[in-house]
Every structure is written in C-alpha cells, then in structure tokens.
C-alpha cells in the first residue's frame, strides 16, 4: 500500500492537538504539518491563546477561530507544536525549510513542552545539508566570505527583515556546527535544534503515530 505522507502529517498533528489542555498558551509552528494541527486544535473548542511563528500560521489560526496573541507580554508558553525537516536518531532537528526557524527557535526555547510533529520521511539516519540560516543584511558579505558553504536562498526577507540562506557543508557533527554557526556575528539563527529542546517527537507512520523521546 502506498504511503500517504499528508495523512501521516495529519495523524501526527491530530495526536499533538490532543495534548493541548484548557487554558494553555500554545506556540504554533509553521509549515504543512502545522497546517493540519490548526484545524485539529480549533475542533477541540478549548479556551486557549496561541502565539504564531509566521504570518501564514497567524492567518490560518485566525481563520479557524483560534485566539492569537502577540508574543510580547507572554513570558512562557505551556506547549509549542511544530514540524521539522529532519530528525536524527539522537533527536537533533533540522528546521527552517519554510524560513521560519528564527521565530520557531525562540518559541521552542520559551515553552514548557516542545512537541515535534513529522511524517515518516523526516527521521533520518544522519543529518544532511542544507541547514537553513537567517542572516543580517548588515555585514552579509563578511558572513558569506567566512562561510563559503553558505548560499543565499531565493526567497523574500523574513518578517523580521532577515536574509534566508542555506548551509551546504558537512553536518556530521551537529554539536560542533551548531556552536560555530551560533558564534558567528551576522548569523541571526540557524536551523539546528538540539535534542534538549524537544520533549517528544510524534511520527505519523503508516496509519499509526509513534512517540519518540529524544535521547539527548
Ligand atoms: C518551517 C519549518 C517547518 O516546520 C519544516 O520546514 C517542516 O515543514 P513541513 O511541515 O511543511 O514538512 O521548520 O520553518
């Protein structure tokens, strides 16, 4: 039987929506998997507030009748739910295929529980490039000279005025790469999310949802 990736995304998203409880402040990620989460969450008719990581997510959430609040003024989220481009066996994520990883990382870092929802094509034996980046326009050429493996993405500026790019070099050691990218002035955020950030990964797989806790 052919695997339907979209069904797997919907199944993972629906399982995540079931984790949300009355009164929670919920971080909403960005992407096609989160697009399944939003109607599933709205259908639960809970009294919740949401923080959106992109204008697209905010528009979809509002269209489904969810209450969306500005992030400023909200200190801590109860739960945040988001997709990923890759999940490795330790629980490292690559995110930012949709260009929203800077806001997604801020939200993931400000929540009690970060739930990752993916289809069965996202878990990988080893991470591979590209790793999305958001760069400052100021000093852009300096960053590009320092990182020859980085290519600018043909994409509009982010809502925060950043330039989207992708790193195409070696990703075999995500701890080291993550630290080096984070230490480069001009790189606003990179798409490597450490295992310690994630509470659980829900993987839609062939009609079922597997729950994987990152080993760290
Ligand atoms: C956006 C992201 C997305 O979560 C990631 O790209 C996965 O997208 P999708 O759910 O469409 O497969 O990081 O910045």
């Amino acid at each position: 039987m052919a695997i339907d990736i979209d069904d797997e995304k919907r199944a993972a998203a629906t399982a995540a929506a079931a984790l949300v409880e009355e009164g929670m402040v919920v971080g909403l990620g960005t992407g096609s998997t989160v697009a399944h989460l939003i109607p599933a969450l709205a259908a639960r008719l809970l009294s919740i507030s949401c923080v959106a990581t992109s204008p697209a997510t905010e528009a979809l959430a509002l269209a489904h009748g969810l209450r969306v609040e500005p992030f400023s003024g909200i200190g801590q989220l109860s739960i945040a739910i988001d997709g990923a481009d890759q999940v490795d066996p330790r629980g490292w994520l690559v995110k930012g295929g949709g260009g929203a990883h800077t806001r997604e990382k801020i939200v993931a870092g400000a929540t009690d529980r970060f739930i990752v929802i993916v289809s069965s094509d996202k878990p990988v034996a080893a991470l591979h490039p590209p790793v999305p980046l958001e760069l400052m326009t100021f000093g852009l050429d300096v960053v590009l000279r320092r990182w020859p493996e980085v290519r600018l993405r043909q994409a509009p500026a982010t809502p925060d005025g950043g330039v989207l790019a992708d790193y195409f070099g070696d990703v075999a050691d995500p701890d080291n790469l993550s630290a080096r990218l984070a230490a480069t002035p001009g790189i606003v955020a990179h798409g490597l999310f450490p295992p310690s950030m994630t509470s659980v990964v829900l993987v839609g797989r062939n009609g079922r949802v597997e729950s994987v806790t990152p080993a760290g």
Side-chain angles (χ1 to χ4, degrees):
M1 196 179 70
I3 294 172
D4 188 323
I5 292 297
D6 205 49
D7 279 352
E8 292 186 342
K9 290 182 179 188
R10 188 181 301 104
T14 304
L19 301 176
V20 177
E21 295 169 14
E22 192 70 15
M24 281 185 164
V25 184
V26 183
L28 301 174
T30 292
S32 58
T33 317
V34 168
H36 289 302
L37 169 72
I38 289 169
L41 200 50
R44 296 205 49 216
L45 300 173
L46 298 169
S47 177
I48 55 173
S49 298
C50 300
V51 170
T53 54
S54 64
T57 291
E58 177 169 356
L60 191 61
L62 290 172
H64 280 83
L66 292 170
R67 189 188 313 144
V68 180
E69 309 267 7
F71 200 9
S72 48
I74 294 177
Q76 183 74 9
L77 305 169
S78 322
I79 192 168
I81 306 169
D82 201 351
D85 301 308
Q86 301 177 49
V87 184
D88 89 350
R90 280 172 61 198
W92 273 97
L93 309 178
V94 172
K95 286 187 47 53
H101 57 280
T102 301
R103 289 186 177 196
E104 292 171 337
K105 193 176 271 187
I106 294 169
V107 162
T111 183
D112 294 343
R113 289 165 77 205
F114 182 49
I115 314 296
V116 176
I117 49 177
V118 293
S119 45
S120 66
D121 55 331
K122 301 298 182 69
V124 292
L127 298 182
H128 56 78
V131 174
L133 305 175
E134 181 168 346
L135 311 175
M136 292 282 289
T137 45
F138 184 84
L140 186 59
D141 290 345
V142 177
V143 174
L144 295 178
R145 261 201 303 277
R146 183 173 297 180
W147 289 90
E149 313 93 328
V150 170
R151 282 184 235 151
L152 296 180
R153 201 186 286 184
Q154 292 303 314
T158 70
D160 303 299
V163 176
L164 288 170
D166 293 286
Y167 164 85
F168 283 92
D170 186 15
V171 198
D173 183 351
D175 303 72
N176 181 271
L177 177 60
S178 168
R180 288 193 302 122
L181 289 169
T184 304
I187 296 183
V188 179
H190 59 78
L192 286 166
F193 285 42
S196 57
M197 224 168 201
T198 299
S199 309
V200 70
V201 183
L202 300 175
V203 186
R205 192 184 295 282
N206 211 7
R208 303 183 51 232
V209 178
E210 294 169 0
S211 175
V212 182
T213 304

